[in-house]
Amino acid sequence: MDKTVEKKLTKWLKLQKKACGFYLNLSVFFGVLTGLSLMCQAWLIATVLQGIIIDELPKSDFINHFWALLALTIVRGILAFARERASFQAGAKLRVEMRAAVLDKLALLGPAFIKGKPAGSWASIVLEQVEDLQDFYARYLPQVVLAGFIPLIILVAVFPINWAAGLILLATAPLIPMFMILVGMGAADANRKNFSALARLSGHFMDRLKGLSTLKLFNQGEKEARVIKKASEEFRERTMAVLRMAFLSSAVLEFFAAVSIAVMAVYFGFSYLHHLDFGHYGAPISLFTGLFVLILAPEFYQPLRDMGTHYHAKAQAIGAAEELMALLDHPTEQVGGDKLVDGAVTIEAKDLSVYSLDGSLLLGPISFQIGAHEHVAVVGPSGAGKTSLLNALLGFLPYQGQLLIAGTELKDLSASDWRKHLAWLGQEPQLFHGTLRDNVAMGRQLSDEQIMALLSKAQIVDFVEQQAQGLDYPIQEQTAGLSVGQAQRIALARALAQQASLFVLDEPTASLDSLSEQAVQATLITAMQGKACIMVTHRLESLSTMDNILVIDKGALVQQGSYTVLLEQEGTFKQMLDEASSVSEFDIDADTNINSDSNDLATLAPEGDK
């Protein structure tokens, strides 16, 4: 990974630590207290051994020292537990804040942006990548501070006793961070590649799992299994590369810490044998001095070793932060704070051009008007730009030109306030895991009577009354247990609860059987009385009731007018209508031939087989 990018990601990660609250500082505080209590223990142990072995004092003189050691042991255990809890809470608070920020950003960017990646990739970002920030904030950042505090406190305690021992500690301390950096230089890049491989595997696996029936029907199961195996193998290799980095860094740090402690032990050993005579302040080196320094020596390097151990958490977080930062810093359309006055909604587009999020022109420039209480249909071949127009109207795609809502530019309106005036119904109803009541109310304070009234308008109340749980009927993920028609009518009841001024409909009956389609259409006709409506549809035969029809082809508005007017004009609309009529006639002829063949077979069959 480029060093500039790594520094940028590290800076971004550190800026997020304010989300940890006071828990991060609390973790550092408990860590410092743990270090101080350990120094007190070292002093007590060295004092006791010096008094008993060298000074030959009775053991009874050190009863208080033993009790103090026991108390400090208990205190250290409590401090260690408190530090772990504070660290965990810091990471947990950060994860909650980060996931909320990611979900809020995705909600702001809208479905047009979300569809740019497989669902599995978003799941990887929201779950795995946010989860992998935990150790960076819970362990690495506090340890960086402690790696500076604890050794400094120990040096302050050691130098007044023996300056040579202090110099050895001071000279060998940089070895551990230096080799930690050298070993960890490739760790961030390895983690970044690991996350990329995981995102690809997650997205690929989830998409193939959702389309498993289609793959089986087209006999592509084995081929896709090989593709998933290849992606899994790539992810395994990336994971093993990360683990190699982690194990290598731990081994290197342990080696240099052991060498540094060994140098200290050799110095004191030769000093006690009178081969070395320096480092003291006039008085000979006592047993107390040697024991005190040697007990503290491992603890001097321990914060540095812990920082090295947790260094892979930094590399892991940097790998995870790349996509998180790109998402959270992704530019969004500037929206104003103006609010619409309650009442009828009018729409006026002047030289409107709609663009994709990467800047490609999808539609326009086009101009049209939708008056108060007017019902307008948008038709055209697939890929003409119909859904792009709706996405721009909903605030999910950028546009140029003018798009006036009741005389106010859409960009100047508050997005949340504007959407309160909308009732949305698409061709793929999205119900959420929860109860039927939750899916209709969607957070609104609605009574059971109001919800039942909405379900009655959507002509789904009979289904609810047949269920033992009633409004507590559980909606499973992917609307399991419901037909498409039932799910669509529940989504319709939810839309009716909006009390909207404008209905935005995107193929609301595309996936329904004839009975469900008639039920939904009848409900919509009743609900949209006195309201404005813009509807994208391919069902041209039912457009005679619409006030105006916009015909879009290849990103341009090629025709507009009432059903009667367009029927008399040569153009895209009449061509589409003729094609639809041909398809319907073909279906009728096919059904007739099948019935005729069945009758012929019945006539030819033996009497016993009829």
Side-chain angles (χ1 to χ4, degrees), residues 427-453:
Q427 55 184 306
E428 298 177 357
Q430 178 62 60
L431 301 183
F432 300 95
H433 183 75
T435 65
L436 198 150
R437 179 189 292 103
D438 296 335
N439 274 275
V440 175
M442 284 295 286
R444 304 181 188 92
Q445 299 298 321
L446 298 178
S447 66
D448 287 356
E449 291 75 16
Q450 290 174 310
I451 293 175
M452 291 298 288

Side-chain angles (χ1 to χ4, degrees), residues 118-138:
S121 296
W122 294 121
S124 175
I125 291 174
V126 175
L127 298 176
E128 284 90 350
Q129 296 195 23
V130 172
E131 194 70 27
D132 284 322
L133 299 180
Q134 167 77 23
D135 284 349
F136 178 77
Y137 295 95

